[in-house]
Each structure stands twice: as structure tokens, then as C-alpha cells.
Amino acid sequence: MCTPDESYHGIVYAEKFGKMGYIQKAVAQLMRDLGTCQAPMNAFILNLGLESLHLRMPRHCENARKVAEYLQSRPEVGWVEYPGLPGDKYYELAQKYMPNGTCGVLSFGLKGGRDMAVRFMDNLKLVAIVTHVADARTCVLHPASHTHRQLNDEQLVEAGVRPDLIRFSTGIEDAADIIADVEQALAAAK
């Protein structure tokens, strides 16, 4: 506030804007670096979500574990990563540091690679294709055909994104309904 901000042309907010210095810094620098300032209604809704997060997380964790176990049993699935699964590389650490459940997000890959993953995504009915985490609804993303679609398979691997990677964030729906949607999408993707 009182020293030059080299990232913003050496401006000293307190000198340049006086009483408005803090809000100008928030808009000029913090908004640039951290994102936009929330509208009041958006902040209210976010707060509601945060206040009920402790009630939703056990269901997210339970559903993720059930979906991960189901996916592990499927012949179409090449790999599953979920720290709540015995055998996962982070399982022991998860047991130590997260004894009440790990998380609601898991990742997996289909043996049919990128093309099968795209077909799988196209056939989901209940699961939403969006990038949310800890949403009340189950959300899924296939980075190779969505956020990183401009990259070929070799570039994806160089970036640390497997072409068959599907990121799955379980919601609070009934686990049987989530699994049924995954099952029908897998069948349709073959």
C-alpha cells in the first residue's frame, strides 16, 4: 500500500488514491492475480456452500470410494487412482492423514484410450460434463477432449496429462445412480 508496486508501473496506492488506495489495489493487482471480485449474490451463494460443506463431504467421499471400487472391477478400465483404495500409491498416507475419508475426486483411464473416453463422456446422462469439485452433482472432465483439446497425445503426455485420463468428482446423489450412469456409458462407449 505504501511502497511502489513494481508489478503495476511502480504505483504507490496510498499516495495515488488516498482513502481509496486499498480498493484500488484490490481491483488493480489482487483481481489481476487472484481473479475477479465477487458480486454480493455470488459471495452469498459461495458462503452457503461453504457452510454446508462439512455435511456434504462424507457423502462425496463415500460415493467416490464406491465408484472407484466399481471402476476397478470393470474390464474396460485400465487404471483407477483414488487414495481411498487399498493399493493406491497414496493409500497409507490417506489412512494416516485423512482417517474420516479422503476426497470426492478420483481419476481413471479407459483401455480404449482417448477415443473411448470421448465416447464414454458423450454417453453420460446423469453425470454433468463440467469442471466443478465438491458440487452437489457428480461432475466429470476428460482433459484431452476438453481443457487440453488443442494438444495431441504426445503433447498431452509431455504436459503430464494422459490422453485417457478422466477426472471424476462425485456428487451427493445416490451412489447406485452414479454407478448405473457410468455403467451404461461404458457399455455404450465400447
Side-chain angles (χ1 to χ4, degrees), residues 131-150:
T131 57
H132 295 280
V133 174
D135 196 322
R137 63 193 170 153
T138 299
C139 305
V140 65
L141 182 70
H142 176 238
S145 64
H146 294 103
T147 57
H148 295 69
R149 68 181 166 271
Q150 74 279 9

Side-chain angles (χ1 to χ4, degrees), residues 50-125:
L50 290 174
E51 288 174 347
S52 63
L53 189 61
H54 71 286
L55 299 172
R56 296 190 324 265
M57 284 314 297
R59 182 69 172 255
H60 288 294
C61 296
E62 178 187 345
N63 283 350
R65 183 186 49 77
K66 289 178 179 178
V67 170
E69 289 170 353
Y70 169 77
L71 288 168
Q72 252 187 345
S73 73
R74 293 300 300 217
E76 307 94 332
V77 177
W79 56 273
V80 178
E81 290 184 359
Y82 180 67
L85 283 178
D88 185 89
K89 62 184 174 186
Y90 298 111
Y91 180 76
E92 295 303 323
L93 289 173
Q95 297 305 297
K96 179 179 179 181
Y97 294 112
M98 298 177 276
N100 297 323
T102 55
C103 66
V105 179
L106 60 112
S107 58
F108 65 98
L110 300 176
K111 290 181 181 174
R114 183 183 196 147
D115 293 336
M116 186 174 181
V118 170
R119 291 191 305 273
F120 170 78
M121 299 289 288
D122 287 344
N123 285 287
L124 290 166
K125 295 179 179 8

